[in-house]
Amino acid sequence: LTADNASFRRQTSVGCANIAPQSVENTVLFVQRGNKRLREISYRLEADGFSSSDTSLLAEHLLRPGVKEFCVQRGSNFYVWLLMQDGSVAVLTLNPEQKVTAWQRMVFPGRRVLQIATLPSAEGHEDEVWFVLQNESAGFISLERICAASGYADALTVVRVTEAGRVSGLPH
């Protein structure tokens, strides 16, 4: 593959937001331009090419605030965690083999999600989901983890961040 023999062909006219796409099985998930829809693009034999479909069609109300970022939790199912512009979280459960797609909203009362990420677990099963949350009344920031072994949140450490950006309250 060189610059002389490389070529491309438009596969869809749907634009992508400035958020990195993620792969799930044989598809690629991406946030549509405007940040209000989650789409997947995959090869379709009957079309002899790639086509895009709206996976958020039944969850328009959950994505109304606009997607800020998203990540994929891998395991027996796939969970797509979408952080909204308002600090709320929407979760898409995917099981491509069984053609299962289910949406839910995750609520953190009194707290706003600032960032979200997934990491492989030490046990090697379901990935862990990590949240950076801000307490809306007290202003402190917490780091929380959800993984299959812990059930819900694993632990909470209160950290104070000064205006100068210094952090205190960590045990190490």
Side-chain angles (χ1 to χ4, degrees):
L1 184 65
T2 68
D4 294 331
N5 66 10
S7 65
F8 69 91
R9 185 172 48 133
R10 180 183 299 267
Q11 299 296 323
T12 181
S13 60
V14 177
C16 181
N18 192 18
I19 299 172
Q22 302 280 328
S23 65
V24 173
E25 290 290 296
N26 297 321
T27 66
V28 174
L29 296 173
F30 66 96
V31 177
Q32 184 175 323
R33 182 179 34 227
N35 299 53
K36 306 276 187 192
R37 298 201 178 273
L38 181 69
R39 300 186 71 91
E40 71 173 352
I41 188 166
S42 61
Y43 183 81
R44 306 272 197 262
L45 188 59
E46 64 276 4
D48 191 26
F50 290 87
S51 65
S52 172
S53 60
D54 184 359
T55 61
S56 57
L57 186 63
L58 299 176
E60 292 176 343
H61 60 291
L62 296 178
L63 278 59
R64 194 168 291 130
V67 179
K68 180 179 176 184
E69 62 184 56
F70 78 104
C71 56
V72 177
Q73 179 186 16
R74 289 164 170 77
S76 55
N77 291 311
F78 294 93
Y79 300 95
V80 182
W81 298 81
L82 297 99
L83 174 58
M84 300 295 117
Q85 296 287 348
D86 66 356
S88 63
V89 174
V91 184
L92 169 61
T93 303
L94 290 173
N95 185 324
E97 182 181 337
Q98 301 298 321
K99 296 181 174 47
V100 172
T101 58
W103 283 93
Q104 64 180 333
R105 182 170 181 248
M106 181 163 271
V107 179
F108 297 89
R111 298 179 292 169
R112 175 185 171 90
V113 180
L114 302 177
Q115 287 192 287
I116 190 169
T118 56
L119 296 170
S121 68
E123 298 83 29
H125 303 294
E126 301 274 336
D127 288 350
E128 299 172 349
V129 182
W130 290 81
F131 299 96
V132 176
L133 296 120
Q134 182 174 29
N135 184 301
E136 292 176 344
S137 60
F140 65 81
I141 294 175
S142 63
L143 179 64
E144 296 188 22
R145 163 181 88 142
I146 296 177
C147 65
S150 65
Y152 298 101
D154 177 57
L156 171 66
T157 300
V158 176
V159 178
R160 304 272 184 232
V161 180
T162 66
E163 288 183 22
R166 300 206 183 271
V167 178
S168 65
L170 290 173
H172 66 282

